[in-house]
Amino acid sequence: MKRTLYVSAATAVVLMAGGPVAVAAATTADTARTVTAATAVPADVTAQEAAAAALKEYPGIVESLDQDGAVWHVDVISKGEHDHAELEVDANGKVTVENKDNDGHSSDQMALLTAKVTAAQAMKAALAAHPGKVTTVEWDNDDNGTRYWHVEVKGSGDKTWDGRVDATTAKVTTSTDSDSNNDSDSDSNDEDQDN
């Protein structure tokens, strides 16, 4: 019984002396992990980087690109095999193939295959005219059959520029220019004016 008492007393002394040191060491290790995790900034892939990553995974021509939170949805058509793929590019640049088909190219896709201005060139032209961050690029045409790239750029002050880049000349024109909350004080009267 005395022996048990001595062992218990010795254990108590070790815990009292070592306890705070052990707790401090554990706290320091936890703090280090927490600080590392908190200071690790998630990657933010730009539209241009998302397009490049998608084309590396699935070679072809970007037909559209749209940001949904931290994920980019990219549609790519192949040049020769009549294939089409819907891809997702996450915030770290990882590409996932969501869907592939071999249904042949539509007339719009055939026009895209011969277009002089690519999605990357359309983004570059749009950003030169309206600095900011591209959030959408889409191959499109108007009622007259004119082919163009529809590009949205989010600029400073939550201002969103929505415009067109001609598929032959890369000429930039404005569709609308409005605040992200669609206030009535937008500059939508600039519609279809050259910039």
Coordinates of all heavy atoms in Angstrom, one line a residue, residues 109-176:
Q109 N -20.0 25.5 -84.4 CA -18.7 24.9 -84.1 C -17.8 24.9 -85.3 O -16.6 25.1 -85.2 CB -18.9 23.5 -83.4 CG -19.5 23.6 -82.1 CD -19.9 22.2 -81.5 OE1 -20.1 21.3 -82.3 NE2 -19.9 22.1 -80.2
M110 N -18.3 24.6 -86.4 CA -17.5 24.6 -87.7 C -17.0 26.0 -87.9 O -15.8 26.2 -88.3 CB -18.3 24.1 -88.9 CG -18.7 22.6 -88.8 SD -17.2 21.6 -88.7 CE -16.6 21.7 -90.3
A111 N -17.8 27.0 -87.7 CA -17.4 28.4 -87.9 C -16.3 28.8 -86.8 O -15.3 29.4 -87.2 CB -18.6 29.4 -87.7
L112 N -16.4 28.2 -85.6 CA -15.4 28.4 -84.6 C -14.0 27.8 -85.1 O -13.0 28.4 -84.8 CB -15.8 27.8 -83.3 CG -14.8 27.8 -82.2 CD1 -14.3 29.2 -81.8 CD2 -15.4 27.2 -80.9
L113 N -14.1 26.7 -85.7 CA -12.8 26.0 -86.1 C -12.1 26.8 -87.1 O -10.8 26.7 -87.2 CB -13.2 24.6 -86.7 CG -13.6 23.6 -85.7 CD1 -14.1 22.3 -86.5 CD2 -12.6 23.2 -84.7
T114 N -12.8 27.7 -87.9 CA -12.1 28.5 -88.9 C -12.0 30.0 -88.5 O -11.5 30.8 -89.2 CB -12.8 28.5 -90.2 OG1 -14.2 28.9 -90.0 CG2 -12.9 27.0 -90.8
A115 N -12.4 30.3 -87.3 CA -12.3 31.7 -86.8 C -10.9 32.2 -86.6 O -10.0 31.4 -86.3 CB -13.0 31.8 -85.4
K116 N -10.6 33.4 -87.0 CA -9.3 34.0 -86.8 C -8.9 34.3 -85.4 O -7.7 34.3 -85.0 CB -9.1 35.2 -87.7 CG -9.2 34.9 -89.2 CD -9.0 36.2 -90.0 CE -9.1 35.8 -91.5 NZ -8.9 37.0 -92.3
V117 N -9.9 34.6 -84.6 CA -9.7 35.0 -83.2 C -10.1 33.9 -82.3 O -11.3 33.5 -82.3 CB -10.5 36.3 -82.9 CG1 -10.3 36.7 -81.4 CG2 -10.1 37.5 -83.8
T118 N -9.2 33.5 -81.4 CA -9.5 32.4 -80.5 C -10.0 33.0 -79.2 O -10.0 34.2 -79.0 CB -8.2 31.6 -80.1 OG1 -7.3 32.5 -79.5 CG2 -7.5 31.1 -81.4
A119 N -10.5 32.1 -78.3 CA -11.0 32.6 -77.0 C -9.9 33.3 -76.2 O -10.1 34.4 -75.6 CB -11.5 31.4 -76.2
A120 N -8.7 32.8 -76.3 CA -7.5 33.5 -75.6 C -7.3 34.9 -76.2 O -7.1 35.8 -75.4 CB -6.3 32.6 -75.7
Q121 N -7.3 35.0 -77.5 CA -7.1 36.3 -78.1 C -8.3 37.3 -77.8 O -8.1 38.5 -77.6 CB -7.0 36.2 -79.6 CG -5.7 35.4 -80.0 CD -5.7 35.0 -81.4 OE1 -6.7 34.6 -82.0 NE2 -4.5 34.9 -82.0
A122 N -9.5 36.7 -77.7 CA -10.7 37.5 -77.4 C -10.6 38.1 -75.9 O -10.9 39.2 -75.6 CB -12.0 36.7 -77.5
M123 N -10.1 37.2 -75.0 CA -9.9 37.6 -73.6 C -8.9 38.7 -73.5 O -9.0 39.7 -72.8 CB -9.5 36.5 -72.7 CG -10.6 35.5 -72.4 SD -10.1 34.2 -71.2 CE -9.3 33.0 -72.3
K124 N -7.8 38.6 -74.3 CA -6.7 39.6 -74.3 C -7.2 40.9 -74.8 O -6.9 42.0 -74.2 CB -5.5 39.1 -75.1 CG -4.3 40.0 -75.1 CD -3.2 39.3 -75.9 CE -2.0 40.2 -75.9 NZ -0.8 39.7 -76.7
A125 N -8.0 40.9 -75.9 CA -8.5 42.1 -76.5 C -9.5 42.8 -75.5 O -9.5 44.0 -75.3 CB -9.2 41.8 -77.8
A126 N -10.4 42.0 -74.9 CA -11.3 42.5 -73.9 C -10.6 43.2 -72.7 O -11.0 44.3 -72.3 CB -12.3 41.4 -73.5
L127 N -9.6 42.5 -72.2 CA -8.9 43.0 -71.0 C -8.1 44.3 -71.4 O -7.9 45.1 -70.5 CB -8.0 42.0 -70.4 CG -8.7 40.8 -69.7 CD1 -7.7 39.7 -69.3 CD2 -9.4 41.4 -68.5
A128 N -7.6 44.4 -72.6 CA -6.9 45.6 -73.1 C -7.9 46.8 -73.1 O -7.5 47.9 -72.7 CB -6.3 45.4 -74.4
A129 N -9.1 46.5 -73.4 CA -10.1 47.6 -73.5 C -10.7 47.9 -72.1 O -11.1 49.0 -71.8 CB -11.2 47.3 -74.5
H130 N -10.9 46.8 -71.3 CA -11.5 46.9 -70.0 C -10.8 46.1 -69.0 O -11.1 44.9 -68.8 CB -13.0 46.4 -70.1 CG -13.8 47.2 -71.1 ND1 -14.4 48.4 -70.7 CD2 -14.1 47.1 -72.4 CE1 -15.1 48.9 -71.7 NE2 -14.9 48.1 -72.8
P131 N -9.8 46.7 -68.3 CA -9.0 45.9 -67.3 C -9.9 45.3 -66.2 O -10.9 45.9 -65.8 CB -8.1 47.0 -66.7 CG -8.0 48.0 -67.8 CD -9.3 48.0 -68.4
G132 N -9.5 44.1 -65.8 CA -10.2 43.4 -64.7 C -9.9 41.9 -64.8 O -8.8 41.5 -65.2
K133 N -10.9 41.2 -64.5 CA -10.8 39.7 -64.5 C -12.0 39.1 -65.4 O -13.1 39.4 -65.1 CB -11.0 39.2 -63.0 CG -10.9 37.7 -62.9 CD -11.1 37.3 -61.5 CE -11.1 35.8 -61.4 NZ -11.4 35.3 -60.0
V134 N -11.6 38.3 -66.3 CA -12.6 37.7 -67.2 C -13.3 36.6 -66.4 O -12.8 35.8 -65.7 CB -11.9 37.0 -68.4 CG1 -12.9 36.2 -69.2 CG2 -11.2 38.0 -69.3
T135 N -14.7 36.7 -66.5 CA -15.5 35.7 -65.8 C -16.3 34.8 -66.8 O -16.7 33.7 -66.4 CB -16.5 36.4 -64.9 OG1 -17.3 37.3 -65.6 CG2 -15.8 37.1 -63.8
T136 N -16.4 35.2 -68.0 CA -17.1 34.5 -69.0 C -16.6 34.7 -70.4 O -16.3 35.9 -70.7 CB -18.6 34.8 -69.1 OG1 -19.2 34.5 -67.8 CG2 -19.4 34.0 -70.1
V137 N -16.4 33.7 -71.2 CA -16.1 33.8 -72.6 C -17.0 32.8 -73.4 O -17.0 31.6 -73.0 CB -14.6 33.5 -72.9 CG1 -14.3 33.6 -74.4 CG2 -13.7 34.4 -72.2
E138 N -17.7 33.2 -74.4 CA -18.6 32.3 -75.1 C -18.6 32.6 -76.6 O -18.8 33.8 -77.0 CB -19.9 32.4 -74.5 CG -20.9 31.4 -75.1 CD -22.3 31.5 -74.4 OE1 -22.5 32.5 -73.6 OE2 -23.1 30.6 -74.6
W139 N -18.5 31.6 -77.4 CA -18.6 31.8 -78.9 C -20.1 32.0 -79.2 O -20.9 31.3 -78.6 CB -18.1 30.5 -79.5 CG -18.2 30.5 -81.0 CD1 -19.1 29.7 -81.7 CD2 -17.5 31.2 -82.0 NE1 -18.9 29.9 -83.1 CE2 -17.9 30.8 -83.2 CE3 -16.5 32.2 -81.8 CZ2 -17.4 31.4 -84.4 CZ3 -15.9 32.7 -83.0 CH2 -16.4 32.3 -84.3
D140 N -20.4 33.0 -80.0 CA -21.8 33.3 -80.2 C -22.0 33.9 -81.6 O -21.0 34.2 -82.3 CB -22.3 34.3 -79.1 CG -23.7 34.1 -78.8 OD1 -24.5 33.5 -79.6 OD2 -24.2 34.6 -77.8
N141 N -23.2 34.2 -82.0 CA -23.5 34.9 -83.2 C -24.8 35.7 -83.0 O -25.6 35.4 -82.2 CB -23.6 33.9 -84.4 CG -24.8 33.0 -84.3 OD1 -25.1 32.5 -83.2 ND2 -25.5 32.8 -85.4
D142 N -24.9 36.8 -83.8 CA -26.1 37.6 -83.7 C -27.1 37.2 -84.8 O -26.9 36.2 -85.5 CB -25.8 39.1 -83.8 CG -25.2 39.5 -85.1 OD1 -25.3 38.7 -86.1 OD2 -24.6 40.6 -85.2
D143 N -28.2 37.9 -84.8 CA -29.3 37.6 -85.8 C -28.9 37.6 -87.2 O -29.5 37.0 -88.1 CB -30.5 38.5 -85.5 CG -31.2 38.3 -84.2 OD1 -31.0 37.2 -83.6 OD2 -31.8 39.2 -83.7
N144 N -27.9 38.4 -87.5 CA -27.4 38.6 -88.9 C -26.4 37.5 -89.2 O -25.8 37.5 -90.3 CB -26.7 39.9 -89.1 CG -27.7 41.1 -88.9 OD1 -28.9 40.9 -89.1 ND2 -27.2 42.2 -88.4
G145 N -26.0 36.6 -88.3 CA -25.1 35.5 -88.5 C -23.6 36.0 -88.3 O -22.7 35.2 -88.6
T146 N -23.4 37.2 -87.7 CA -22.1 37.6 -87.4 C -21.6 36.9 -86.2 O -22.2 36.8 -85.2 CB -22.1 39.2 -87.1 OG1 -22.7 39.8 -88.2 CG2 -20.7 39.7 -86.8
R147 N -20.4 36.3 -86.4 CA -19.8 35.5 -85.3 C -18.9 36.4 -84.4 O -18.2 37.3 -84.9 CB -18.9 34.4 -85.9 CG -19.6 33.6 -86.9 CD -20.3 32.4 -86.3 NE -20.7 31.5 -87.4 CZ -21.9 31.0 -87.6 NH1 -22.9 31.5 -86.8 NH2 -22.2 30.2 -88.5
Y148 N -19.0 36.2 -83.1 CA -18.2 37.0 -82.2 C -18.0 36.2 -80.9 O -18.6 35.2 -80.7 CB -18.9 38.3 -81.9 CG -20.2 38.2 -81.2 CD1 -20.4 38.2 -79.9 CD2 -21.4 38.1 -82.0 CE1 -21.6 38.0 -79.3 CE2 -22.6 37.9 -81.4 CZ -22.7 37.9 -80.0 OH -24.0 37.8 -79.5
W149 N -17.1 36.7 -80.0 CA -17.0 36.2 -78.7 C -17.7 37.1 -77.7 O -17.5 38.3 -77.7 CB -15.5 36.1 -78.3 CG -14.7 35.1 -79.1 CD1 -13.9 35.3 -80.2 CD2 -14.6 33.7 -78.8 NE1 -13.4 34.1 -80.6 CE2 -13.8 33.1 -79.7 CE3 -15.2 32.9 -77.8 CZ2 -13.5 31.8 -79.7 CZ3 -14.9 31.6 -77.8 CH2 -14.1 31.0 -78.7
H150 N -18.5 36.5 -76.9 CA -19.2 37.3 -75.8 C -18.2 37.2 -74.6 O -17.9 36.1 -74.2 CB -20.6 36.7 -75.5 CG -21.1 37.2 -74.3 ND1 -21.4 36.4 -73.2 CD2 -21.5 38.4 -73.9 CE1 -21.9 37.1 -72.2 NE2 -22.0 38.4 -72.6
V151 N -17.8 38.3 -74.1 CA -16.9 38.3 -73.0 C -17.4 39.2 -71.8 O -17.9 40.3 -72.1 CB -15.5 38.8 -73.4 CG1 -14.5 38.8 -72.3 CG2 -15.0 38.1 -74.6
E152 N -17.3 38.7 -70.6 CA -17.7 39.5 -69.4 C -16.4 39.7 -68.6 O -15.6 38.7 -68.4 CB -18.7 38.8 -68.6 CG -20.1 38.7 -69.2 CD -21.1 38.1 -68.3 OE1 -20.8 37.8 -67.1 OE2 -22.2 37.8 -68.8
V153 N -16.2 40.9 -68.2 CA -15.0 41.3 -67.4 C -15.5 42.0 -66.1 O -16.3 42.9 -66.2 CB -14.1 42.2 -68.2 CG1 -12.9 42.6 -67.3 CG2 -13.6 41.5 -69.4
K154 N -15.0 41.5 -65.0 CA -15.4 42.1 -63.7 C -14.2 43.1 -63.4 O -13.1 42.7 -63.2 CB -15.5 41.1 -62.6 CG -16.0 41.7 -61.3 CD -16.3 40.7 -60.3 CE -16.9 41.3 -59.1 NZ -17.3 40.3 -58.0
G155 N -14.5 44.4 -63.3 CA -13.5 45.4 -63.1 C -13.5 45.9 -61.7 O -14.2 45.3 -60.8
S156 N -12.9 47.0 -61.5 CA -12.8 47.6 -60.1 C -14.2 48.1 -59.7 O -15.1 48.4 -60.5 CB -11.8 48.7 -60.1 OG -12.2 49.8 -61.0
G157 N -14.4 48.1 -58.4 CA -15.7 48.6 -57.9 C -16.9 47.7 -58.3 O -18.0 48.2 -58.4
D158 N -16.7 46.5 -58.5 CA -17.7 45.5 -58.8 C -18.4 45.9 -60.1 O -19.6 45.5 -60.4 CB -18.8 45.4 -57.7 CG -18.4 44.3 -56.7 OD1 -17.5 43.5 -57.1 OD2 -19.1 44.2 -55.7
K159 N -17.8 46.6 -61.0 CA -18.3 47.0 -62.3 C -18.1 45.8 -63.2 O -17.0 45.2 -63.3 CB -17.6 48.2 -62.8 CG -18.3 49.0 -63.8 CD -19.2 50.0 -63.2 CE -19.5 51.1 -64.2 NZ -20.5 52.0 -63.8
T160 N -19.2 45.4 -64.0 CA -19.1 44.3 -64.9 C -19.2 44.9 -66.3 O -20.2 45.6 -66.6 CB -20.1 43.3 -64.6 OG1 -19.9 42.8 -63.3 CG2 -20.0 42.1 -65.6
W161 N -18.2 44.6 -67.2 CA -18.3 44.9 -68.6 C -18.8 43.7 -69.3 O -18.2 42.6 -69.2 CB -17.0 45.5 -69.1 CG -17.0 45.7 -70.5 CD1 -17.5 46.8 -71.2 CD2 -16.5 44.9 -71.6 NE1 -17.3 46.7 -72.5 CE2 -16.7 45.5 -72.8 CE3 -15.9 43.6 -71.6 CZ2 -16.4 45.0 -74.0 CZ3 -15.6 43.1 -72.8 CH2 -15.8 43.7 -74.0
D162 N -19.7 43.9 -70.2 CA -20.3 42.8 -71.0 C -20.2 43.2 -72.4 O -20.9 44.1 -72.8 CB -21.8 42.6 -70.5 CG -22.4 41.4 -71.2 OD1 -21.7 40.6 -71.8 OD2 -23.6 41.3 -71.1
G163 N -19.4 42.5 -73.2 CA -19.2 43.0 -74.6 C -18.9 41.9 -75.6 O -19.0 40.7 -75.3
R164 N -18.6 42.4 -76.8 CA -18.3 41.5 -77.9 C -16.9 41.7 -78.4 O -16.4 42.8 -78.4 CB -19.3 41.7 -79.0 CG -20.7 41.4 -78.7 CD -21.5 41.8 -79.9 NE -22.9 41.5 -79.7 CZ -23.9 41.5 -80.6 NH1 -23.6 41.9 -81.8 NH2 -25.1 41.2 -80.3
V165 N -16.3 40.6 -78.9 CA -15.0 40.7 -79.6 C -15.2 40.0 -80.9 O -15.6 38.9 -81.0 CB -13.9 40.0 -78.8 CG1 -12.6 40.1 -79.6 CG2 -13.7 40.7 -77.4
D166 N -15.1 40.8 -82.0 CA -15.3 40.3 -83.3 C -14.4 39.1 -83.6 O -13.2 39.1 -83.3 CB -15.0 41.4 -84.3 CG -15.4 41.0 -85.8 OD1 -14.6 40.3 -86.4 OD2 -16.5 41.3 -86.2
A167 N -14.9 38.0 -84.2 CA -14.2 36.8 -84.4 C -13.2 36.9 -85.5 O -12.3 36.0 -85.7 CB -15.1 35.7 -84.6
T168 N -13.3 38.0 -86.3 CA -12.3 38.1 -87.4 C -11.3 39.2 -87.2 O -10.1 39.0 -87.4 CB -13.1 38.5 -88.7 OG1 -14.1 37.5 -89.0 CG2 -12.2 38.6 -89.9
T169 N -11.8 40.3 -86.6 CA -10.9 41.5 -86.4 C -10.4 41.7 -85.0 O -9.5 42.5 -84.7 CB -11.6 42.8 -86.8 OG1 -12.7 43.0 -85.9 CG2 -12.1 42.7 -88.3
A170 N -11.0 41.0 -84.0 CA -10.8 41.2 -82.6 C -11.2 42.6 -82.1 O -10.7 43.1 -81.0 CB -9.3 41.0 -82.2
K171 N -12.0 43.3 -82.9 CA -12.5 44.6 -82.5 C -13.5 44.4 -81.3 O -14.4 43.6 -81.3 CB -13.3 45.2 -83.7 CG -13.8 46.6 -83.4 CD -14.5 47.2 -84.6 CE -15.1 48.5 -84.4 NZ -15.8 49.0 -85.6
V172 N -13.3 45.3 -80.3 CA -14.1 45.2 -79.1 C -15.3 46.2 -79.1 O -15.0 47.4 -79.4 CB -13.2 45.5 -77.8 CG1 -14.0 45.4 -76.5 CG2 -12.1 44.5 -77.8
T173 N -16.5 45.7 -78.9 CA -17.6 46.6 -78.8 C -18.4 46.2 -77.5 O -18.3 45.1 -77.0 CB -18.6 46.4 -80.0 OG1 -19.0 45.1 -80.1 CG2 -17.9 46.9 -81.2
T174 N -19.1 47.2 -77.0 CA -19.8 47.1 -75.7 C -21.2 46.6 -75.9 O -21.9 47.2 -76.7 CB -19.8 48.4 -74.9 OG1 -18.5 48.8 -74.7 CG2 -20.5 48.3 -73.6
S175 N -21.6 45.6 -75.2 CA -23.1 45.2 -75.1 C -23.7 46.0 -74.0 O -24.7 46.7 -74.2 CB -23.2 43.7 -74.9 OG -22.7 43.0 -76.0
T176 N -23.2 45.8 -72.8 CA -23.7 46.6 -71.6 C -22.5 46.8 -70.7 O -21.5 46.1 -70.7 CB -24.8 45.8 -70.9 OG1 -24.2 44.6 -70.4 CG2 -26.0 45.5 -71.7

